[in-house]
Amino acid sequence: MAEATKTDVGSYFISNYPPFSQWSKEAVEEALAALAAPPQGDAPLGLYLHLPFCRKRCKFCYFKVFTDKNGSEVERYLAALSKEIELVSRQPLMGDRPFRFVYFGGGTPSFLSSRQLTRLVDRLRENIDWSRAEEVTFECEPGTLSEAKVGTLREIGVTRLSLGVEHFDDAILRDNGRAHESMEIDRAWPWITAAGFDNVNVDLIAGMMGDTTEKWRAAVERTLALDPDSVTIYQMELPYNTVISQGVLAGEESPIASWEQKREWVSWAFDRFLESGYEQSSAYTVVKPGGVFSYRDNLWRGSDLLATGIASFGHAAGVHYQNLPEWESYLSSLEAGTLPVGRALRITPHQALVREMILQLKKGWLDPSYFQSKFGVDIRTQWQAEWAEHEANGYVLQREDRIELTRAGLLRIDSLLPVFFEEEHRGVRYT
């Protein structure tokens, strides 16, 4: 099959398996039963909290976010989220396991004021404790930060701050609907570095509307000048429910750079970061030597994840689940004292194998002995033809003790994964 060149509408980035479109409301009881059963085995436990508020909706955003909620509505949501944490904390699946990692995602978690953040965390700590977590991540948009708020994040236990920079060119930021401009990045950075977080990550996106080689390279150099602990680079895609996608589906020409161009830009960026002392950590990330991502690495090895907040995704003892995605239904469920699970899917052992294999491949390499030990499967033999095809195309190298991606493979990793899907999941809509 010919490789796509133009960036058309459709999900590209793969974050789970089986595809989300296969999850159903009929399996909700499976998720509730998994949460209600004591933990079995030694799977790590994580917590995700979704804070869905933003100053503006980016034109490329496909997450569940709100830009029109007033103060009382925000407070109602925070009360519901606190109630959900209380209900989750009582689930037998929690047992006495400590949280290995905690992730505040969005939306824009830093949309909340220092006062709101402090009050929310105080309420959460009445039911849960993340003092033993090895990583507490908090996503931020530069324009929502103040020196006091950065200090608050440090006080509530955040260890890893992830800053959604995306680009430094103000025209590109405006044209793509970002709420911040470059001056707000420069203003916030000294506060962030002074706070002394264990890890500060900068997000970039290659191929935003209006990007050029000159502007992209300038953005990479600006990022290098900040000297963050890690950098995550995404290639712009067009999932179905974005503002840009609506125009393309209506007949407009795709305004996003071609996949070939994006891969060229990201490859150049990787070279610059590696030249500057960073190490390749995945198909999207570079880190300073010794850098780790607890959230990512534990999820990719099958950890349990208690998901809280509207439309959030979790994993409980072999059952995938998603919370209700609509504002009133999510809030009303919690106000009635009911967990707001909206759809779910119990996965088979083979699906668990596929999920871990494709996600771990995103790190750039696989250890076949890990899968042999955990699942009793030789992944080289199970997918001999698929590995051979990727190797023939120059995307994979099969070493004696590991399977490695080449740079070409890293740059198109998500397009390489569907061949490992079960036949019934190939070609179905992902989300």
Side-chain angles (χ1 to χ4, degrees):
M1 185 172 65
E3 186 175 54
T5 55
K6 189 167 71 170
T7 304
D8 284 322
V9 176
S11 296
Y12 174 76
F13 187 85
I14 293 172
S15 60
N16 217 328
Y17 184 79
F20 297 107
S21 63
Q22 306 304 294
W23 305 14
S24 70
K25 63 181 181 181
E26 288 75 24
V28 165
E29 290 303 319
E30 295 259 26
L32 296 176
L35 291 167
Q40 297 182 4
D42 56 357
L45 180 65
L47 174 66
Y48 177 83
L49 304 99
H50 189 60
L51 296 166
F53 308 108
C54 291
R55 295 195 293 166
K56 292 175 62 179
R57 184 178 184 88
C58 302
K59 294 180 181 179
F60 53 84
C61 176
Y62 56 95
F63 295 111
K64 191 69 176 183
V65 301
F66 301 94
T67 60
D68 59 348
K69 300 303 181 186
N70 60 35
S72 63
E73 290 173 312
V74 172
E75 290 298 331
R76 184 186 174 201
Y77 181 86
L78 296 180
L81 181 61
S82 300
K83 179 64 176 180
E84 186 176 7
I85 292 290
E86 177 187 343
L87 295 175
V88 164
S89 72
R90 298 174 183 169
Q91 298 301 306
L93 183 76
M94 279 281 299
D96 58 359
R97 292 188 292 173
F99 288 114
R100 179 77 62 85
F101 58 91
V102 177
Y103 198 105
F104 289 82
T108 307
S110 56
F111 176 91
L112 300 181
S113 68
S114 290
R115 177 175 168 273
Q116 287 173 321
L117 285 169
T118 300
R119 288 179 56 237
L120 172 63
V121 170
D122 285 346
R123 282 185 283 183
L124 299 183
R125 283 179 172 158
E126 293 175 2
N127 297 290
I128 60 172
D129 173 29
W130 60 65
S131 61
R132 295 162 61 190
E134 61 190 22
E135 180 182 277
V136 179
T137 299
F138 197 97
E139 294 182 348
C140 296
E141 184 253 287
T144 61
L145 294 177
S146 65
E147 186 171 12
K149 189 181 295 186
V150 171
T152 297
L153 296 179
R154 198 74 178 90
E155 290 167 7
I156 65 176
V158 172
T159 64
R160 178 176 177 268
L161 186 145
S162 188
L163 193 66
V165 168
E166 322 310 5
H167 212 290
F168 287 86
D169 185 274
D170 287 336
I172 289 176
L173 292 170
R174 286 193 298 269
D175 290 347
N176 286 269
R178 291 295 291 172
H180 74 274
E181 295 193 357
S182 59
M183 62 171 288
E184 292 170 302
I185 304 168
D186 296 333
R187 182 184 63 186
W189 194 253
W191 304 330
I192 293 170
T193 55
F197 295 98
D198 294 349
N199 180 290
V200 178
N201 176 78
V202 165
D203 280 350
L204 297 176
I205 300 178
M208 299 174 77
M209 286 194 300
D211 210 354
T212 66
T213 297
E214 181 180 8
K215 290 182 176 182
W216 172 250
R217 292 187 175 186
V220 171
E221 298 298 338
R222 288 280 296 275
T223 304
L224 279 166
L226 295 179
D227 194 34
D229 299 291
S230 62
V231 182
T232 303
I233 306 176
Y234 299 101
Q235 297 180 43
M236 176 75 86
E237 61 173 317
L238 293 176
Y240 285 96
N241 59 334
T242 73
V243 172
I244 300 173
S245 297
Q246 292 170 5
V248 175
L249 291 171
E252 298 175 8
E253 184 69 21
S254 174
I256 306 303
S258 69
W259 288 111
E260 180 182 18
Q261 179 67 83
K262 286 180 289 191
R263 289 167 184 149
E264 179 183 317
W265 286 339
V266 174
S267 187
W268 184 88
F270 283 160
D271 285 340
R272 285 292 294 123
F273 285 113
L274 298 181
E275 290 166 5
S276 301
Y278 288 81
E279 298 175 344
Q280 193 89 44
S281 177
S282 79
Y284 320 105
T285 53
V286 292
V287 300
K288 288 184 176 179
V292 296
F293 289 92
S294 178
Y295 173 79
R296 177 197 73 187
D297 293 346
N298 279 293
L299 274 183
W300 291 359
R301 284 176 170 256
S303 70
D304 284 339
L305 177 68
L306 299 179
T308 61
I310 189 169
S312 59
F313 296 97
H315 313 285
V319 180
H320 297 341
Y321 69 93
Q322 183 191 19
N323 276 350
L324 293 165
E326 301 304 328
W327 178 264
E328 193 58 42
S329 58
Y330 168 79
L331 295 175
S332 297
S333 177
L334 286 162
E335 288 163 355
T338 304
L339 284 173
V341 179
R343 61 175 176 165
L345 176 71
R346 177 174 289 282
I347 64 173
T348 67
H350 180 74
Q351 289 167 347
L353 162 63
V354 173
R355 179 180 182 272
E356 287 199 35
M357 187 182 74
I358 64 176
L359 293 180
Q360 288 182 40
L361 188 58
K362 289 170 174 261
K363 292 190 72 173
W365 61 276
L366 291 175
D367 176 2
S369 67
Y370 167 87
F371 299 94
Q372 183 71 59
S373 175
K374 184 169 183 177
F375 297 98
V377 173
D378 181 344
I379 62 172
R380 293 183 193 267
T381 302
Q382 180 80 17
W383 287 283
Q384 184 175 5
E386 288 78 9
W387 293 125
E389 181 180 0
H390 284 337
E391 191 168 32
N393 288 330
Y395 303 146
V396 164
L397 297 172
Q398 298 203 57
R399 307 293 191 188
E400 182 177 349
D401 61 344
R402 56 197 260 159
I403 299 170
E404 294 180 4
L405 290 176
T406 63
R407 171 64 67 82
L410 277 173
L411 294 172
R412 53 178 49 77
I413 177 61
D414 290 278
S415 69
L416 305 183
L417 303 181
V419 298
F420 301 107
F421 289 10
E422 294 163 296
E423 186 173 355
E424 64 266 29
H425 295 143
R426 298 175 190 171
V428 304
R429 180 162 167 167
Y430 184 69
T431 53

